[in-house]
Amino acid sequence: MAVPSQYVLPNDLPVALLDCSEAFSLLSAEEKLYAHYLSHASFYGGLIVLFQTSPESPAIYILLNRLFRSQDHKELKGVALGQGLSDEQYQAILVYTAGFFANMGNYKSFGDTKFVPNVPKEKFEKVLRASAAFARDPDGMESLWRTVADRMYSLEPSERQLGLGTNGITTYFSANCTMDDAELAQRFLDSKKISAYNTRLFKTLKDDGRSQYEVRLASVSKEGCGSESNDLSQILGSFEFEGHEIQVTRGDYSPLLLRVRENLEKAKAFASNDNQRHMLEEYIRSFQEGSIKAHKEGSKYWVQDKGPIVESYIGFIESYRDPFGSRGEFEGFVAVVNKSVSARFAQLVSAAEHLVASLPWPASYEKDKFLRPDFTSLDVVTFSGSGIPAGINIPNYDDIRQTVGFKNVSLGNVLSVGSATEREKLTFLREEDKDVYIKFRGPSFEVQVGLHELLGHGSGKLFAQDEKGVLNFDKETVINPETGEVVRSWYKVGETYDSKFTTMASSYEECRAECVGLYLCVNEEVMRIFGHEGQEANDAMYVNWLNMVRAGLLGLEFYTPETGRWRQVYVRLVSSVTHPEAHIFLHTIGCHSNVP
């Protein structure tokens, strides 16, 4: 029986090469070594994503890696044809392999849907057994194949998408965990002021029928070894909470994080300033000990490292793929500044304060002082994770964003690839719109990414109470514009946006950023900054809106009728939004253009 098309990758799927040769060649010898060791740290850390995706992904990675490292793909094609495969079937093996490596697992990073090889299992097995990899290590390859063959091809209903419990597959939680368990764990973490970013949750049943939980922190250090920093000394161990025993341990992903730490230590020797050195020292401590507090300290130094030639960030960053929306997927990138494009973004930063003031909410909903961020266009040298975005606004720690600041980056060589458009593949558009769409897809996307990252994610204020009980707003005068009454709730100590809004948090924030981009793209000053005036500016505005509406239709494929769920953060909230205009915004696929 043929596999439904949504679970296979088409043979004509393009492979996009991100050109960074010129950017890298212009670096000094020290900058190249700095980028080199940061790239090694990112690649080793990126292997963690395999363990965060599905139980079978690590073994599939080893199997495919050995298969294609042992002989040239052209030579392997001859082997495949000799085993009775057609050209199309061998192409399907190549496409599956490329898709697997691009997504760092067998689930799509955008949409969270499983994909399987578009070639019969027995034919894939014939290629493996006839390969140089199998001849070199038959027992090892045999063991790997037995481990992954069934799971690699399985499309049982619970395995078709990522999710918690009966809704799908997740490795952030043990298979017996439910949403109730996730909520219990979050209450415990909040009570201990523990961030969920670098954790996983495992549940076992005791003899008396009670549930016992393990919160496992990612770190090089394992239980009982190494010194504990002050922020960890009070949280490691066993606790009673709401009638359950919860144990906090560490050492998750220890061998891989050891490689990350070693390469960060080597990179430190080639850091260009004290901010970079202090940043790396804190990252090293974070990965060694499992301390998110140390990672936050490193992120503060990173924010203060303005305009570096080599830009990077590494850690457990985005919570998109955690079914509960609190745990971060590992990500690491290294990129080089594109000075000419960055000059445009610098102009946008200069105009940001008065552009923010034009947004349709009261001034009391903005930060007391605008924190002027760094905003640069970068050419990606290394990006390790489940997918490459076109723009990034980080760090994701709310307290740092509110008080220290943040950085915006636009990934230029990703943007240029992501905006490439083939006319024959343009669906849902009138013929008379296709030419203008093709011409302005790239320029309008650059505008939207810039506004989305800088003025979308970069705007707004979280109303919060500190440890002394002091509020960062006047609760007697600040009015909720929806109700006309004073604000009645705010973030308590230890609470974060992700921990409070969990599964809807990322979707709502991405929607807000997209709405800001759409709202401000009609601003003539914004268009002039990006080099568009007159009719050209009008066409770019039109295409930006047109692209968003089209994305809404394309987003329908991310809905799973069987579970009633949206499989991507940019579209997940649509089923709960009733305001008619909101459907346009919340159906959006967003600015993250994953390159297969």
Side-chain angles (χ1 to χ4, degrees), residues 179-190:
M179 190 60 72
D180 288 340
D181 297 314
E183 291 171 351
L184 170 71
Q186 188 62 56
R187 291 195 299 273
F188 168 76
L189 293 172
D190 289 343

Side-chain angles (χ1 to χ4, degrees), residues 418-537:
S419 60
T421 305
E422 297 179 45
R423 186 184 180 90
E424 60 271 19
K425 293 185 178 181
L426 283 179
T427 52
F428 307 121
L429 293 183
R430 300 178 303 177
E431 284 300 317
E432 56 265 35
D433 280 333
K434 288 185 177 181
D435 288 336
V436 70
Y437 184 91
I438 290 171
K439 181 177 180 180
F440 287 98
R441 170 72 174 91
S444 69
F445 193 44
E446 183 184 48
V447 173
Q448 179 67 13
V449 168
L451 296 172
H452 173 113
E453 300 296 346
L454 175 63
L455 301 171
H457 291 313
S459 63
K461 178 179 183 175
L462 292 179
F463 296 152
Q465 185 177 41
D466 65 19
E467 294 177 348
K468 298 179 180 179
V470 177
L471 297 170
N472 67 346
F473 69 102
D474 185 351
K475 69 174 183 178
E476 304 299 329
T477 61
V478 175
I479 301 298
N480 181 337
E482 291 294 311
T483 65
E485 301 175 350
V486 295
V487 171
R488 300 185 183 278
S489 63
W490 46 84
Y491 293 89
K492 307 298 193 299
V493 175
E495 294 178 340
T496 67
Y497 176 70
D498 281 338
S499 71
K500 292 299 290 183
F501 291 95
T502 63
T503 56
M504 72 166 65
S506 294
S507 297
Y508 230 106
E509 174 58 16
E510 295 301 335
C511 167
R512 189 178 73 90
E514 289 289 55
C515 290
V516 169
L518 290 172
Y519 186 85
L520 290 176
C521 77
V522 299
N523 185 295
E524 292 182 358
E525 180 184 5
V526 168
M527 282 299 178
R528 279 197 301 272
I529 288 172
F530 284 91
H532 309 305
E533 295 188 73
Q535 186 58 44
E536 183 178 298

